[in-house]
Amino acid sequence: AISDTLTGKHRHARDQWLRSCQSIPLNIAEGNGKTLTNDRRRYFEISRGSAMECAATQDILEISKAIDKNKNREGKVMLDRIVAMLTRLGGRGYCVNEEIEEYGKNIVDIDTDTDSDSDNILEKKI
């Protein structure tokens, strides 16, 4: 793990990196405990910010030669996936709703993700 190799002059960056890493799952858990959508979304966004902070700290550690480029890249691959998941979780609930008359029909995507799947679309005629 990255934290195992950070001692001495890199102690403060290690502590910051650990706090950010621990903040990710803790805010996800706290957000999942909320019943209001906006509250949940806020915690997912905080968690996403912590993941971005981890990535920035890793960059600082690479520049200061505390970790090598490969170790940083490995961590960034994982953090990139975490950020992508949290972005989707934080984005749920946002939607655009045009006036029905504008298009002459109302298309409803019946699954819960944010993309449009042609096989999961119902068309309601007006």
Side-chain angles (χ1 to χ4, degrees):
I2 291 175
S3 63
D4 295 340
T5 62
L6 302 174
T7 58
K9 66 180 180 176
H10 303 293
R11 180 177 91 251
H12 297 293
R14 174 188 176 269
D15 292 346
Q16 183 61 44
W17 184 80
L18 285 171
R19 277 192 299 277
S20 298
C21 288
Q22 292 166 350
S23 177
I24 297 168
L26 294 174
N27 278 296
I28 291 170
E30 190 165 357
N32 279 322
K34 302 296 180 182
T35 56
L36 296 175
T37 303
N38 286 339
D39 288 343
R40 290 175 61 121
R41 184 178 302 125
R42 186 170 68 87
Y43 281 95
F44 293 149
E45 290 173 353
I46 291 169
S47 185
R48 181 178 176 270
S50 294
M52 301 287 282
E53 187 176 351
C54 286
T57 304
Q58 284 181 206
D59 286 340
I60 292 167
L61 290 167
E62 180 185 340
I63 289 167
S64 65
K65 307 267 190 261
I67 62 173
D68 65 31
K69 188 174 189 169
N70 290 331
K71 185 64 84 172
N72 189 13
R73 189 178 304 125
E74 289 172 14
K76 289 273 189 82
V77 167
M78 189 181 328
L79 288 167
D80 185 56
R81 181 72 179 131
I82 291 168
V83 167
M85 288 187 286
L86 289 167
T87 299
R88 299 243 1 218
L89 283 170
R92 297 205 184 228
Y94 294 112
C95 66
V96 176
N97 189 10
E98 292 88 5
E99 294 297 320
I100 295 173
E101 298 82 32
E102 190 174 343
Y103 297 103
K105 58 185 169 181
N106 189 14
I107 296 177
V108 178
D109 189 353
I110 60 173
D111 60 0
T112 58
D113 61 19
T114 57
D115 67 337
S116 178
D117 303 320
S118 59
D119 58 330
N120 288 329
I121 291 188
L122 296 176
E123 186 173 298
K124 291 194 273 183
K125 300 284 183 185
I126 304 284

